[in-house]
Amino acid sequence: MAAAAAWVRAVFLAAVAASAAEALSLDVHHRYSATVREWAGRHTGPPAGTAEYYAALAGHDLRRRSLASAQGEVAFADGNDTYRLNDFGFLHYAVVALGTPNVTFLVALDTGSDLFWVPCDCIKCAPLESPTYGNLKFDVYSPQKSSTSRKVPCSSNLCDQQSSCRSSSSSCPYNIEYLSDNTSSSGVLVEDLLYLITEYGQPKIVTAPITFGCGQVQTGSFLGNAAPNGLLGLGMDSKSVPSLLASDGVTANSFSMCFGEDGHGRINFGDTGSSDQQETPLNIYKQNPYYNISISGAMVGSKSIDTEFSAIVDSGTSFTALSDPMYTEITSSFNSQVKDKQSQLGSSLPFEFCYSVSSKGSINPPNISLTAKGGSVFPVNDPIITITDTSSNPLGYCLAMMKSEGVNLIGENFMSGLKIVFDRERKVLGWKKFDCYSVDNSSKLPVSPNSSAVPPKPAMGPNSYTPEAAKGASPNGTQVNVLQPSASSSLKLHFNIFIAAALLFLVIL
């Protein structure tokens, strides 16, 4: 075993030494997946498809948010798979490895946040293990235990809180207030190695220095079911992971996320898209940089709607939410074309338009698509959710859109079945219909959908966390609120790890 470990270590070091600036990726998971339930040893929580299931997901969404209008490819070392973890919000998650020796974390992927942080030298953090986690146990990061860790001084251009520093050489503090149940994360900034893997040719492990938050104190939702093991910011600010990878020359200043309809997805750093994708310009607001696009119209069934609004494309929001008049125009048109009887399927559901299933049991709702600035059509592949009983028999369905105040969010459900390209260099958002299990010639994704669901480190695993929205205010200063249903959620994670991840796992040992 010692000889084998030495050989693996030698291969790993050789791979790192031979690596150039190439593209990187990681796996993403959804918390209610069957795989996650099996991995966590949990089989409780609202059954998938029931009203309680969707109410639990929606409860993690907009009540937590107030947003402003505003080389080659690589992946995380454990692969480019992402997974929608419903216990932590209807959002995508991935496993990342940091430090030397490395420690693994399950982090939420949020395009509405910037700073990457993990629990670290904890003064006040979520528990590492809990009955609500099932068999899963989290890890924490400690700069003293990593030989490659270094502090980020107050003199760094990434330090936003220099006024709180005692000297320019002091460690840079950070404090992020999230507009959600008095939720915050604070600590100091550190730099260490993030482990990535190339996404084409012979897979190679790549290490990239990354600045992140050593989260010593968390409050509010972060002590419960919201990001107990960290949050990975994918926003447009200079502190976000894509920004740091691009500034270090590791990847191009672009990344993609593929949102599979089954909760399995992909993320690839450095993916600039393909020539056959649809795209639209990003609206750039320097003070509040989000992935904001302009919508010039909508098509609902046979009816064309002439409406203009801007919307934030946000992987940290489960269900799409629009404010009036757009919300009323789209939902009223949808409702007028549905042939099934409108019905209240559950008092906890935040959706206004729900319908019972006809006697034939078929569901044929009107199609919905959005027309973006420039004329590209953004298809909504599955605008509804189907409500089932505990035996998975269909009871009805709802238009999975919520009414908001002052901000428009295109959530994960509208991105289902699409690969979304966040091209920050060209300042465009691109998309195309895509099977997340397929290999895209532009991305060269190393996919193995039938691989076994095994975590890279047995002690690490997901918990019930919900990625939080970015801090800040919406254009008119209002906050979006929806009902907060009581929810008992179960955990679901689907891992898809290829051989290079196994190499990394052995090196960890």
Side-chain angles (χ1 to χ4, degrees):
M1 180 64 183
W7 176 81
V8 170
R9 191 179 300 275
V11 171
F12 171 74
L13 293 175
V16 171
S19 299
E22 297 175 346
L24 313 169
S25 62
L26 52 114
D27 288 352
V28 180
H29 305 258
H30 187 264
R31 71 179 178 184
Y32 279 125
S33 67
T35 311
V36 175
R37 293 187 188 221
E38 180 180 357
W39 181 30
R42 295 179 61 201
H43 300 279
T44 59
T50 62
E52 291 79 10
Y53 172 91
Y54 291 111
L57 298 183
H60 290 297
D61 256 0
L62 297 180
R63 64 186 177 82
R64 302 181 182 276
R65 296 184 172 275
S66 180
L67 297 175
S69 56
Q71 315 179 25
E73 297 169 29
V74 295
F76 295 123
D78 286 301
N80 69 349
D81 289 341
T82 65
Y83 302 86
R84 197 171 56 225
L85 303 178
N86 296 345
D87 269 349
F88 313 147
F90 197 75
L91 305 168
H92 277 258
Y93 295 78
V95 176
V96 300
L98 290 168
T100 308
N102 67 66
V103 181
T104 52
F105 299 88
L106 184 79
V107 295
L109 305 180
D110 193 355
T111 58
S113 296
D114 295 307
L115 183 68
F116 171 26
W117 65 266
V118 297
C120 165
D121 285 351
C122 288
I123 299 172
K124 188 178 181 182
C125 299
L128 298 181
E129 52 187 322
S130 165
T132 61
Y133 301 173
N135 297 330
L136 302 174
K137 181 180 178 181
F138 291 123
D139 223 327
V140 296
Y141 175 85
S142 177
Q144 289 73 30
K145 294 181 181 179
S146 174
S147 62
T148 49
S149 177
R150 75 175 188 88
K151 72 176 184 180
V152 175
C154 288
S155 58
S156 169
N157 59 5
L158 293 176
C159 185
D160 292 335
Q161 299 190 19
Q162 295 178 351
S163 60
S164 302
C165 297
R166 284 175 285 186
S167 70
S168 60
S169 60
S170 300
S171 293
C172 175
Y174 84 88
N175 180 58
I176 304 177
E177 300 286 341
Y178 296 84
L179 296 177
S180 166
D181 303 330
N182 299 314
T183 296
S184 68
S185 177
S186 60
V188 295
L189 296 184
V190 297
E191 182 185 284
D192 210 333
L193 298 179
L194 173 67
Y195 292 83
L196 303 162
I197 192 167
T198 58
E199 280 293 275
Y200 58 88
Q202 185 67 32
K204 299 176 184 178
I205 296 292
V206 178
T207 56
I210 203 79
T211 297
F212 60 97
C214 169
Q216 300 166 327
V217 176
Q218 274 68 248
T219 66
S221 299
F222 290 153
L223 296 177
N225 62 352
N229 209 214
L231 180 71
L232 192 138
L234 296 168
M236 297 183 70
D237 188 81
S238 60
K239 295 187 296 296
S240 74
V241 170
S243 296
L244 294 172
L245 294 178
S247 64
D248 287 340
V250 178
T251 64
N253 193 14
S254 183
F255 70 97
S256 68
M257 293 184 74
C258 184
F259 297 90
E261 296 181 26
D262 61 351
H264 176 253
R266 303 280 172 185
I267 183 168
N268 282 74
F269 297 103
D271 185 357
T272 56
S274 55
S275 59
D276 60 343
Q277 72 182 15
Q278 299 290 305
E279 56 186 39
T280 191
L282 288 169
N283 300 321
I284 305 300
Y285 302 99
K286 291 185 179 180
Q287 291 186 341
N288 299 103
Y290 294 101
Y291 299 106
N292 187 298
I293 63 173
S294 295
I295 302 298
S296 59
M299 178 67 73
V300 180
S302 59
K303 184 176 180 180
S304 176
I305 300 174
D306 185 15
T307 182
E308 294 186 6
F309 59 95
S310 63
I312 296 168
V313 180
D314 185 11
S315 71
T317 294
S318 304
F319 302 109
T320 294
L322 301 178
S323 57
D324 273 335
M326 295 76 68
Y327 171 82
T328 296
E329 289 175 347
I330 292 175
T331 56
S332 297
S333 180
F334 182 91
N335 185 56
S336 67
Q337 298 179 64
V338 171
K339 301 188 184 306
D340 296 311
K341 182 180 179 181
Q342 193 166 351
S343 173
Q344 185 176 0
L345 298 175
S347 59
S348 60
L349 285 171
F351 309 116
E352 183 180 0
F353 295 93
C354 296
Y355 309 88
S356 57
V357 179
S358 65
S359 57
K360 297 180 180 179
S362 60
I363 299 176
N364 297 297
N367 294 323
I368 295 179
S369 64
L370 305 175
T371 302
K373 182 178 180 179
S376 294
V377 175
F378 190 98
V380 179
N381 294 317
D382 195 6
I384 67 167
I385 56 164
T386 302
I387 308 299
T388 62
D389 60 20
T390 54
S391 300
S392 299
N393 299 310
L395 299 175
Y397 60 96
C398 299
L399 174 60
M401 182 186 297
M402 294 184 289
K403 186 175 183 178
S404 67
E405 296 293 337
V407 65
N408 301 305
L409 300 170
I410 295 177
E412 277 197 12
N413 70 314
F414 270 37
M415 294 184 259
S416 177
L418 299 175
K419 184 176 83 164
I420 309 292
V421 177
F422 300 85
D423 193 328
R424 303 138 52 86
E425 190 164 331
R426 294 175 54 225
K427 295 181 174 55
V428 300
L429 184 84
W431 62 88
K432 62 185 290 187
K433 289 188 177 182
F434 194 67
D435 176 1
C436 294
Y437 290 107
S438 298
V439 177
D440 186 355
N441 291 332
S442 67
S443 297
K444 303 180 177 65
L445 304 179
V447 208
S448 178
N450 297 319
S451 63
S452 60
V454 216
K457 191 174 182 183
M460 203 292 301
N463 176 22
S464 180
Y465 68 30
T466 300
E468 298 295 316
K471 58 182 178 177
S474 59
N476 61 4
T478 58
Q479 183 169 357
V480 183
N481 295 292
V482 298
L483 293 176
Q484 179 184 358
S486 59
S488 169
S489 301
S490 63
L491 183 57
K492 171 178 180 181
L493 180 59
H494 178 153
F495 265 100
N496 191 359
I497 301 172
F498 41 88
I499 293 177
L503 290 176
L504 179 61
F505 173 47
L506 290 176
V507 173
I508 294 173
L509 299 178

